[in-house]
Amino acid sequence: MKFHAFVSRFGLAALLCAAFANIPAWGSCTTESLSALGVPNMTITSATVVPAAAPNPEYCDVKGSVATSGEGAEPGSANFEIMLPANWNQKFIFRGVGGLAGSLNSSANPADQPLFLARGYATAITDTGHLVSNPTWEYTTPGTPDTPKIIDYFYRAVHDVTLAAKLLV
């Protein structure tokens, strides 16, 4: 989707979100209610309210997957985790993945990471479409590259998960 089409299509939603800034970002933290928002290509598998514990406020921990597509490769998918704080500041941070990715562990500075939620940022992270525990994830068979997983790893998963996460937020 082109950026201008994205803005015209979802601009009203952003304005409505801003109008209701004092309502917790996640409204109702259930798999059903968040799935009902109809974010394209997103499947939510769990949504759990995590009680406040210093320094974090109460937040909704959302997990699932996003179907990835385009960029000259067959479709793929990438897992994600999105944290929606009750004290949302209207801002979003994508928590970067490091090295070979393959997990939902952030490469963000360990001193900064606890501050994301404490300061009200909604956050997201992806495994970039593969599991680090599989040492041959980039191959379908020995010597045959798994092009969708490679494209997802390099850029498509982060892009598609970020777009979907922003729509959910």
Side-chain angles (χ1 to χ4, degrees):
M1 178 181 300
K2 300 284 185 199
F3 181 74
H4 65 281
F6 175 82
V7 170
S8 64
R9 189 171 188 191
F10 299 106
L12 179 59
L15 290 174
L16 290 173
C17 286
F20 296 102
N22 292 327
I23 297 173
W26 39 264
S28 177
C29 182
T30 66
T31 303
E32 295 78 21
S33 66
L34 294 173
S35 295
L37 295 173
V39 175
N41 302 316
M42 178 181 274
T43 301
I44 297 173
T45 56
S46 70
T48 308
V49 174
V50 177
N56 293 330
E58 179 180 275
Y59 67 95
C60 181
D61 187 26
V62 184
K63 293 182 180 166
S65 64
V66 169
T68 59
S69 63
E71 307 302 328
E74 292 183 17
S77 69
N79 294 320
F80 68 81
E81 178 180 34
I82 300 171
M83 295 179 183
L84 305 170
N87 66 331
W88 185 40
N89 67 7
Q90 306 288 312
K91 297 178 183 176
F92 172 82
I93 291 179
F94 183 85
R95 297 182 295 139
V97 296
L100 294 176
S103 72
L104 297 176
N105 296 321
S106 178
S107 66
N109 181 326
D112 293 335
Q113 195 166 331
L115 300 176
F116 296 158
L117 285 173
R119 293 184 177 164
Y121 288 91
T123 69
I125 191 166
T126 180
D127 66 1
T128 69
H130 71 279
L131 298 175
V132 74
S133 60
N134 177 1
T136 60
W137 63 265
E138 67 270 33
Y139 298 104
T140 56
T141 59
T144 305
D146 189 336
T147 303
K149 285 191 189 243
I150 293 169
I151 297 293
D152 281 344
Y153 166 71
F154 279 114
Y155 55 89
R156 185 172 71 173
V158 170
H159 177 75
D160 288 355
V161 168
T162 299
L163 289 178
K166 285 180 178 181
L167 288 176
L168 183 72
V169 169

